[in-house]
Amino acid sequence: MMEPAAKQKVIYITYLIAALDITWLFLQFSITPYLARRLGFDTIWFGYLQTTVGVIQLLGGPIYGRFADVFGARAALSVSCLASVVYFLLLTVADNTFMLFVHKLPAVFMHGLPGAQMVVADLSENEKRADALGKLGLCFGIGMIFVLKYSLQNINCKFSILLNVIYVLYIYIIYNDYYNFYFCLEKGSSNSVFNVGEITRLMKFPGVAKTFTVKIISGLPAGIFQVMFSIIAMNFFQLKAEQNGYLMAYFGIVQMVIQGAVIGRLTSRFSEYSLLLLSVGISSLVGLAQAMMTNVFHFCLIVIPMMFSLSVFNVITDSMLTKSVSPSETGTMLGLCASVQSLLRTVGPTFGGFLYETYGVPSFGYIQCVINAAVFSLLLASGGRSQPHRP
């Protein structure tokens, strides 16, 4: 059994690894829409590209989580990082439509954040888990801000390849000393990574199906908006790449403050169910505000409540779900959570492209407002029944 000080050291190391991984993520986010436009993609085809990524990661998420439960977090994080190396190598030569789609294939194994969440969930106490998971949001902030420094395709890709190689070595050297205990955790009844029964079995625990349903339905409108945001920034707000970088940095600062300084205080004072209600209710109001915005200044004002609702919602639902299973199954559960985001990215681009071309940007806000208002009403009526608990 690890001492509390040793656990905390591993958590800090994991935060650093997550910050590096998310930095690569936002570096490629800053490249793809402009590269796609240069290759002649319109909104619909860009939606197809994003849908491809969503499908790939939707299939890979649960398997990756199961892989982590069977072989350990170090192996899982290393696989994710090596996949990133291949991903960015392919991106450096993506000079046509075919290669732009092909370079997305390694994304099936790119699940660095869920890997970090697995470590944090295993090492944190139940009552502090939401706070510990919330602080991973600081890593998102760092990644968004870092985009401001690097905006050229070749610099991004070569820099990312180099640091991912260093990242693999870092995982094996540091985690070998501090995280060997992970391999001694009790495993599930089957050591097969592709055991679908072991993955779907988790959905039968009390409250899990309900929480997943809320996570999907309530998160769908925001997921569609996030997937389409690069197009909205270019066409609706008329932002250039550098200006988009500043906006991403602003996102990062807001998220760092919320997840680093706010969520921990909220979770220590209020129940997770109350915070879930709060996040869904605010998300509905954010949707209404998005429907009425007309310029980037309005959006900058909306960002604060938007990031608050998204951060609280994701942290609380992940915390509730991981508390419903044993420590040896948190990887699979977090893999399923990651698949929810992938599902949103799968249906989001195509549906979002249709909404954008047919009804315009306000349609995203109206849909978010109505759906989250309905979810809020149902959650309020249920009164917190069937909340997940650790068996």
Side-chain angles (χ1 to χ4, degrees):
M1 196 69 180
M2 291 184 72
E3 295 293 328
K7 287 185 178 181
Q8 197 61 44
K9 178 174 284 189
V10 174
I11 289 176
Y12 288 146
I13 292 171
T14 304
Y15 287 154
L16 176 60
I17 290 174
L20 293 173
D21 186 84
I22 293 168
T23 298
W24 322 151
L25 178 69
F26 280 106
L27 285 175
Q28 69 92 8
F29 278 174
S30 70
I31 295 169
T32 303
Y34 297 95
L35 179 58
R37 184 167 65 176
R38 192 175 74 186
L39 294 175
F41 278 44
D42 59 14
T43 303
I44 300 298
W45 269 97
F46 184 73
Y48 292 153
L49 180 65
Q50 296 291 77
T51 298
T52 300
V53 180
V55 171
I56 290 171
Q57 293 204 308
L58 175 63
L59 297 175
I63 296 174
Y64 180 85
R66 183 67 185 157
F67 179 90
D69 282 341
V70 174
F71 296 104
R74 184 177 65 171
L77 286 171
S78 297
V79 166
S80 175
C81 183
L82 289 172
S84 296
V85 172
V86 177
Y87 181 97
F88 283 106
L89 279 171
L90 292 174
L91 183 57
T92 61
V93 296
D95 57 356
N96 57 65
T97 300
F98 176 74
M99 285 304 301
L100 194 60
F101 276 91
V102 168
H103 99 275
K104 299 293 186 183
L105 294 179
V108 69
F109 300 115
M110 290 170 60
H111 298 277
L113 181 58
Q117 290 175 320
M118 294 167 197
V119 179
V120 172
D122 283 337
L123 295 180
S124 57
E125 302 293 333
N126 275 3
E127 61 274 10
K128 297 181 180 179
R129 181 166 300 173
D131 182 31
L133 290 172
K135 284 185 169 56
L136 282 170
L138 292 171
C139 306
F140 264 98
I142 293 171
M144 289 180 181
I145 293 172
F146 200 81
V147 171
L148 192 62
K149 297 292 290 182
Y150 299 94
S151 59
L152 298 177
Q153 177 186 359
N154 288 335
I155 293 177
N156 275 341
C157 296
K158 292 175 181 177
F159 186 71
S160 299
I161 291 168
L162 173 64
L163 289 185
N164 269 285
V165 172
I166 296 173
Y167 176 22
V168 173
L169 297 175
Y170 184 84
I171 291 171
Y172 268 87
I173 293 172
I174 301 298
Y175 268 40
N176 186 53
D177 292 334
Y178 293 113
Y179 202 35
N180 283 331
F181 87 98
Y182 190 90
F183 299 96
C184 299
L185 285 174
E186 179 186 358
K187 301 300 178 186
S189 58
S190 170
N191 285 334
S192 172
V193 173
F194 299 98
N195 190 323
V196 178
E198 285 294 310
I199 296 173
T200 58
R201 179 179 60 86
L202 302 183
M203 299 300 295
K204 299 178 182 178
F205 286 113
V208 172
K210 173 186 174 182
T211 305
F212 260 103
T213 302
V214 170
K215 194 173 181 69
I216 293 171
I217 295 177
S218 182
L220 179 61
I224 293 174
F225 182 83
Q226 288 175 342
V227 167
M228 296 300 300
F229 181 74
S230 57
I231 299 297
I232 294 171
M234 284 192 299
N235 298 338
F236 185 74
F237 294 140
Q238 298 292 311
L239 298 183
K240 298 179 181 179
E242 182 180 359
Q243 295 170 324
N244 191 41
Y246 284 113
L247 188 58
M248 294 291 285
Y250 173 59
F251 286 174
I253 292 171
V254 172
Q255 184 158 1
M256 288 173 68
V257 171
I258 292 171
Q259 297 206 205
V262 177
I263 289 182
R265 289 180 170 85
L266 290 176
T267 55
S268 65
R269 297 183 181 183
F270 303 100
S271 70
E272 290 183 337
Y273 197 79
S274 297
L275 293 175
L276 178 61
L277 273 172
L278 177 66
S279 64
V280 172
I282 292 178
S283 181
S284 179
L285 297 176
V286 166
L288 184 61
Q290 286 177 347
M292 296 186 293
M293 70 180 180
T294 57
N295 55 56
V296 70
F297 176 73
H298 293 164
F299 182 67
C300 287
L301 296 179
I302 296 170
V303 162
I304 296 176
M306 181 183 77
M307 297 302 290
F308 175 83
S309 62
L310 285 173
S311 298
V312 173
F313 180 79
N314 289 326
V315 168
I316 294 302
T317 51
D318 287 351
S319 177
M320 292 171 70
L321 289 167
T322 56
K323 288 178 182 178
S324 69
V325 298
S326 65
S328 63
E329 296 173 315
T330 54
T332 305
M333 179 57 78
L334 285 168
L336 288 170
C337 290
S339 291
V340 172
Q341 299 301 318
S342 300
L343 176 63
L344 300 181
R345 289 196 296 271
T346 300
V347 301
T350 302
F351 187 52
F354 169 76
L355 287 177
Y356 181 81
E357 293 289 346
T358 308
Y359 302 105
V361 173
S363 62
F364 298 115
Y366 286 125
I367 291 174
Q368 179 169 328
C369 177
V370 172
I371 289 179
N372 279 277
V375 172
F376 178 84
S377 300
L378 292 173
L379 286 174
L380 193 63
S382 70
R385 293 189 296 273
S386 300
Q387 293 185 58
H389 63 278
R390 185 178 294 280

